[in-house]
Amino acid sequence: KRYNLKSTKEKLKEDETRNNNSRYYNNGNDNDFQLNTICFNTVLHAFAKKGNSEKAMEILARMDEIGKNNENAHPDEITFHSVLQALSLSKNPQKVIMARDILRRIENSHISGDWAVIPS
């Protein structure tokens, strides 16, 4: 068998890249890469498929936090759909109350003029 072994230098470079990439998530405002609605929605969709409502709500809160300084990272219809899907599959006993709060948030956002979120 032949193995393709990477040199130590290549491995170190990969580790450095991985460490640099982790800082992008932490501040969300790097010039080379910015978290945006699509990034958040992709992660939310993964949690929604597993019914992980706690993580979905954490991601939504993080999105709200970053969205204060990044106009490209605001929740949209897809965001809320994923959170509601996560809640629907969750075993969380508070899921109905949490879903109702999300629906109210969607409705209030639309009423206040946020046309990115339309209740359907």
Side-chain angles (χ1 to χ4, degrees), residues 13-97:
K13 185 168 176 72
E14 283 179 2
D15 287 345
E16 180 181 329
T17 301
R18 194 174 305 116
N19 289 337
N20 286 339
N21 288 342
S22 68
R23 73 184 163 88
Y24 296 137
Y25 177 77
N26 293 333
N27 65 24
N29 290 316
D30 191 275
N31 291 331
D32 295 330
F33 176 82
Q34 285 194 355
L35 292 172
N36 60 30
T37 302
I38 295 169
C39 295
F40 280 108
N41 286 346
T42 301
V43 174
L44 276 169
H45 180 71
F47 286 127
K49 287 175 68 174
K50 294 293 184 181
N52 192 335
S53 62
E54 291 79 18
K55 287 291 184 185
M57 295 299 285
E58 284 177 25
I59 296 295
L60 179 60
R62 180 77 172 136
M63 189 175 192
D64 287 337
E65 180 185 321
I66 289 177
K68 292 175 186 174
N69 300 317
N70 180 348
E71 63 188 35
N72 295 319
H74 290 285
D76 63 6
E77 290 175 5
I78 297 168
T79 306
F80 291 115
H81 176 268
S82 293
V83 172
L84 289 171
Q85 182 182 13
L87 288 166
S88 73
L89 297 174
S90 173
K91 294 181 180 176
N92 186 330
Q94 298 295 313
K95 69 181 183 180
V96 173
I97 294 167

